Amino acid sequence: MQKIDNYSFANKKAIVRVDFNVPLDKKTFVVTDETRIRGALKTINRIIGNGGAAILMSHLGRPDGKVQEKYSLKHVVPAIEKNLGIKIKFAPDCIGEEAQKLASELKSGEVLLLENLRYYEEEEGKVYSLPEDATDEQKKEAKAKLKESQKTFLKKLASFADCYVNDAFGTAHRAHASTSLIVQHFPNDSMFGYLIESELMAMDKVLHSNEKPLTAIMGGAKVSDKILLIENLLNRVDNLIIGGGMTYTFIKAQGGKIGKSLCEEDKLELALELLKKAKEKGVKVYLPVDAINADAFDANANTQSLKIDQTPDGWMGLDIAAETIKIFSDVIENSKTILWNGPMGVFEMEKFSKGTTAIALAVAKATEKGAYSLVGGGDSVAAVNKLNLADKISYVSTGGGAMLEYMEGKELPGIKAIRG
Ligand code: AMP
């Protein structure tokens, strides 16, 4: 495995898997959030600044193996040019003659962007084009055929370059052509870009931290999405703070009244099991003690603050309340390492955003006092950004699903392919 910092790109072409799956305005197709483009700049600049040329490849949206104008990466070109400060070239097909020509003519210091990889079924290795009533035999046949054509697809992509850089953390948990399979064509010339390097460093720092107490804050809607993460963290953390919708499965499992709060009836036993495991492992679990209850899932609902296990019939808990905020903030501010994944309430609605805001502020405060903090998962990241606190957190992860899987202890195909 090569390191991007040590690798010489002089007179070489690097094919770089970036994550330019950015949101576009539905009418104008202008990029509405350039975070992911900015995230790739350091890697691209290192390659071209070192005398190399960069061939960028990405997916955008879910075109399901078909060419669809609205998912064209050409829409992203102006935003890349603005951020890089140079003009770039665009190949209107990620493989084929024109891409081949543009790639072979690319000079040191230049950048070429290839069209959406997912216009081809070969990228995901998933057959989209079969009729719904296809027989198992037909499905098997189509899959085998696709596997063969995927080899040609990979060969073509790999032929453009001398080395491969993966900097698309958001898709590192997928075993796709451009994220993991392509590595076999660059056995001695594959490496991570700076974004993946820093994501790995941040996650490893938390998972293997000796800076105690280590506190994990879990929020969001469902326990079922976070079971594996919680289980893996129980082996590592000192404190486990639970908030958000998943709270109520734990509260009901312990005999509390939860009204019509979110609850996964089939996970009640599991919730008790997790609490038992935590106790056995000496992990302190903090569940909310009070909540902001609402009489409807609505931004203008009537609200009242009540004890967590006394939600009246017809009401639901949509945020943590004052006493909980105080207890959670104390634990967080006395921690040395912090992982936060998932909001404490329905933070999209102003009335139910105070808990998430308070937790974000507590994490920022702890960080200021010297703790290491990692925030990941789409919604907690959105909350941190909304509050302009990103630069007060040690690391804000860019990959929701990928981060979750890595923290669960799974091997990500895009990481394993390079790291081995
Ligand atoms: P997740 O994607 O699992 O992190 O869940 C995030 C979603 O959980 C957000 O859209 C929140 O609005 C929602 N959420 C957080 N707390 C609650 C709650 N008490 N009841 C219902 N939804 C919630």
Side-chain angles (χ1 to χ4, degrees), residues 219-222 225-226 243-248 261-262 297 316-319 341-348 377-380:
K222 291 185 184 166
D225 293 340
K226 310 271 164 89
M246 72 167 87
T247 301
Y248 295 94
S261 305
L262 211 58
F297 191 86
M316 63 188 93
L318 295 185
D319 196 8
N341 182 300
M344 295 289 103
V346 185
F347 77 107
E348 298 93 333
D379 282 309
S380 21

Side-chain angles (χ1 to χ4, degrees), residues 15 55 90-105 112-117 119-120 122 149 152-160:
I15 189 153
I55 301 165
F90 179 70
D93 183 356
C94 65
I95 51 172
E97 262 174 44
E98 195 170 349
Q100 174 76 59
K101 186 165 181 292
L102 284 163
S104 70
E105 288 171 359
L112 166 67
L113 173 67
L114 305 178
E115 181 55 288
N116 198 336
L117 294 161
Y119 280 180
Y120 286 86
E122 284 80 356
S149 60
T152 315
F153 180 75
L154 277 166
K155 253 192 215 148
K156 286 184 181 168
L157 279 177
S159 73
F160 296 164

Side-chain angles (χ1 to χ4, degrees), residues 185-229:
H185 289 275
F186 301 98
N188 301 313
D189 297 277
S190 289
M191 69 208 86
F192 298 126
Y194 289 113
L195 179 68
I196 289 199
E197 270 191 356
S198 53
E199 293 276 353
L200 290 175
M201 218 149 47
M203 294 187 298
D204 288 338
K205 197 162 170 156
V206 168
L207 286 175
H208 308 293
S209 177
N210 291 322
E211 295 292 314
K212 309 266 175 192
L214 166 50
T215 299
I217 313 158
M218 294 289 113
K222 291 185 184 166
V223 193
S224 48
D225 293 340
K226 310 271 164 89
I227 295 167
L228 294 173
L229 178 60

Side-chain angles (χ1 to χ4, degrees), residues 17 22 87 97 99 109 138 144 159 166 204 249 265 291 301 346 406 413:
R17 179 51 160 104
V22 291
K87 286 270 168 208
E97 262 174 44
Q138 283 169 320
S159 73
N166 187 1
D204 288 338
T249 303
E265 297 288 342
V346 185
Y406 191 86

